[in-house]
Amino acid sequence: MADQPTAIERFINGILPENPVYRQLLGMCPTLAVTNGMKPAITMACAVAFVLLCANVVTSLIRDLLKPHLRIVVFTLTIATFVTIADRFLAAYFFQMSKTLGPYIPLIIVNCIIIARCEVCASKQPVLVAASDAVGQSIGYGLALVSIAAIREILGTGELFGLQILPVSWPDWVIMVLPPGAFITLGLMLGLVNWIDMKKNGNLK
Amino acid sequence: MPEIINSIDSTEKTGPVIHVTTSPHILEKGAGTRRTMLDVIIALIPVMAASVYLFRSYAVKQIVICTLSCLSAEVIFIRMRGKSITINDFSAAVTGIILALSLPPSMPWFVGVIAGFAAIGLGKIIYGGLGMNIFNPAMVGRAFVIIAFTGILGADAYSNLSGVADAVSGATPLTALKYSGIHTALSNMFWGNIPGSLGETSVIASVIGGLYLIYRKAASLEIPACIIATIAIIAGLVDLSCGHSGIFFYHHLFGGATMFGAFFIATDPVTSPLTFKGKLCFAVGVGFLTMIMRMYSGYPESFMFAILLMNAVTPLINRWFIPTPFGGK
């Protein structure tokens, strides 16, 4: 397995070059659903980071025991265990946030980012690489959520983290905190990322 | 539909201009986007005149702001895409005027600017420019600001006017009928002497402009006729079964955006189906959804949402009603 990326490569790739949201287009559903404010977005990013790190480490530890035809089941069960922990933790200590996020924490179980990382990296590489991969991907996911949430919360309410940052006379663009705002912002951000990428590679006419 | 397929191919090289015209194509010299758009502007003159007469400076201000913002949005976004400027086909100006006429009279200037940029940017350029857009750009702009600024564009935008006749300042006929049971006289609705969005109040102005459009073949007769018929049938049935003695019927037929929308918004050649059967299907859908949403949704007037929803299924309608060539199976 000489051609597998090293731990540092995995870490860096996860942040921007293979950003889960902007480059791999994974985990779109929570990305659209929880980015109407910075607080839910960051909570979501932390929950995904916790689940991803634990699932990657466990999968990597048991990678030699995996049977090819059963591996997806094992991944899903591993992920479900940690999602349940995260869900119950939030419900116990951040009850209001747990209500706000609603079903999106349990839905991390079927979040493609985590299954993809288990499949691509953790089931083939040692623990250290898997862990650094998980951290890199989590940072990338967090950055994507925060960038979308910042735009939506500032335009939609004039606030950031619930603090007024634009003048009070700012007319709230209510549409931005509603579902259409999520689709518009995500689409424009994807376009922007692709545009920057094309410009960097000199593919722009 | 060979013409259309060819035009889409050729846009790869020449830019996003698609000419969808009715046959025979040889009949008129210079008939193209530009001529069609000019016809739309000419047809909009009676509507603009009526709105300026009724709403005075509100109408002038709104039309200028929306048209200018649509034109500048077109220039900026087209330049960002690195395409040649298409501003002189007047399509952005038409979008701006229709957008202005579909908005309430009184609102802050930035709402018009945002609506214009949303209309051109999110409604048109993002899909690749004129001919590629799925949704009617003016309605995208209007929907954006109506949802974004629910407070500013609420009832106050219609009733808080000064310097105009009292008759045009107040709750729109559909709102008044739905929430307070007050009805408006039929003659006032016919001439436009009622509160409402700038261009929608005068039935007679919309009909004159619309008939010119149909005469010039810039719009097809099927769509407006069928929308109005559908709304008339549904409103008539509801009226008869609930015993409103005609009031419900004529409010829905002449009030709101029925006439203006049927003639000017639904007939957009880019976002409505191409075949006769497809147009009928589209128009029945618009009329049906408008009436359903007027009666059961939180909005007293829902023509805009009906148009946007039917725009979304227009590609599907086009696929359903592909005409079979003579001798084909």
Side-chain angles (χ1 to χ4, degrees), chain B residues 27 34 49 91 100 107 114 118-119 123 140 145 252 277 279 287 293:
Chain B
L27 200 69
R34 192 187 156 99
S91 64
M107 58 186 203
I114 292 168
V140 172
V145 290
H252 283 275
K277 280 184 196 163
K279 284 173 181 174
M293 285 190 278

Coordinates of all heavy atoms in Angstrom, one line a residue, chain B residues 27 34 49 91 100 107 114 118-119 123 140 145 252 277 279 287 293:
Chain B
L27 N -41.8 34.7 -42.3 CA -42.8 35.8 -42.5 C -42.3 37.2 -42.3 O -42.6 38.1 -43.0 CB -44.0 35.5 -41.6 CG -45.3 36.1 -42.0 CD1 -45.8 35.5 -43.3 CD2 -46.3 35.9 -40.9
R34 N -35.0 40.8 -30.1 CA -35.1 42.3 -29.9 C -36.5 42.8 -30.3 O -37.1 43.6 -29.6 CB -34.0 42.9 -30.8 CG -33.8 44.3 -30.5 CD -32.8 44.9 -31.6 NE -32.9 46.3 -31.8 CZ -32.2 47.2 -31.2 NH1 -31.2 46.8 -30.5 NH2 -32.4 48.5 -31.4
A49 N -48.9 53.5 -18.3 CA -49.6 54.8 -18.3 C -50.7 54.7 -17.2 O -50.8 55.7 -16.4 CB -50.3 55.0 -19.7
S91 N -34.3 42.5 -23.2 CA -34.9 41.6 -22.3 C -34.8 42.0 -20.9 O -35.8 41.8 -20.1 CB -34.4 40.2 -22.6 OG -33.0 40.2 -22.2
A100 N -41.3 45.9 -11.8 CA -41.8 47.1 -11.1 C -43.3 47.1 -11.0 O -43.9 47.4 -10.0 CB -41.3 48.3 -11.9
M107 N -42.5 51.2 -1.2 CA -41.5 50.4 -0.6 C -40.2 51.1 -0.7 O -40.0 52.0 -1.5 CB -41.4 49.0 -1.2 CG -41.1 49.1 -2.7 SD -41.1 47.4 -3.4 CE -40.1 47.7 -4.8
I114 N -32.7 45.2 -4.9 CA -32.4 43.8 -4.6 C -33.3 42.9 -5.5 O -32.8 41.9 -6.0 CB -32.7 43.5 -3.1 CG1 -31.7 44.2 -2.2 CG2 -32.7 42.0 -2.8 CD1 -32.0 44.3 -0.8
A118 N -31.8 40.2 -7.9 CA -32.2 38.8 -7.7 C -32.9 38.3 -9.0 O -32.6 37.1 -9.4 CB -33.2 38.6 -6.6
A119 N -33.7 39.1 -9.7 CA -34.4 38.7 -10.9 C -33.3 38.3 -12.0 O -33.4 37.2 -12.6 CB -35.3 39.8 -11.4
G123 N -32.4 34.7 -11.3 CA -33.4 34.2 -12.2 C -33.0 33.9 -13.6 O -33.6 33.1 -14.3
V140 N -39.0 35.6 -10.1 CA -38.0 35.2 -9.2 C -37.6 36.4 -8.3 O -37.5 36.3 -7.1 CB -36.7 34.6 -9.9 CG1 -35.6 34.4 -8.9 CG2 -37.1 33.3 -10.6
V145 N -38.0 39.1 -2.9 CA -38.2 40.2 -2.0 C -39.5 40.0 -1.2 O -39.6 40.4 0.0 CB -38.2 41.6 -2.7 CG1 -36.8 42.0 -3.1 CG2 -39.2 41.7 -3.8
H252 N -62.1 37.5 -8.2 CA -61.0 36.6 -8.6 C -60.7 36.7 -10.1 O -59.5 36.6 -10.5 CB -61.3 35.2 -8.2 CG -61.1 35.0 -6.7 ND1 -59.8 34.7 -6.2 CD2 -61.9 35.1 -5.7 CE1 -59.9 34.6 -4.9 NE2 -61.2 34.8 -4.6
K277 N -50.8 21.9 -27.0 CA -51.3 21.1 -25.9 C -50.5 21.4 -24.6 O -51.1 21.5 -23.5 CB -51.2 19.6 -26.2 CG -52.3 19.0 -27.0 CD -52.1 17.5 -27.1 CE -52.9 17.0 -28.3 NZ -52.4 15.6 -28.6
K279 N -49.1 24.3 -23.9 CA -49.6 25.6 -23.4 C -50.9 25.4 -22.6 O -51.1 26.1 -21.6 CB -49.7 26.5 -24.6 CG -48.4 27.0 -25.1 CD -48.6 27.8 -26.3 CE -47.2 28.3 -26.8 NZ -47.3 29.0 -28.1
G287 N -53.9 28.5 -13.6 CA -55.2 29.0 -13.1 C -55.6 28.2 -11.9 O -56.0 28.8 -10.9
M293 N -54.3 28.4 -4.2 CA -53.5 29.1 -3.2 C -54.2 30.4 -2.7 O -54.1 30.8 -1.6 CB -52.2 29.4 -3.8 CG -51.3 28.2 -3.8 SD -49.6 28.5 -4.2 CE -49.6 28.6 -5.9

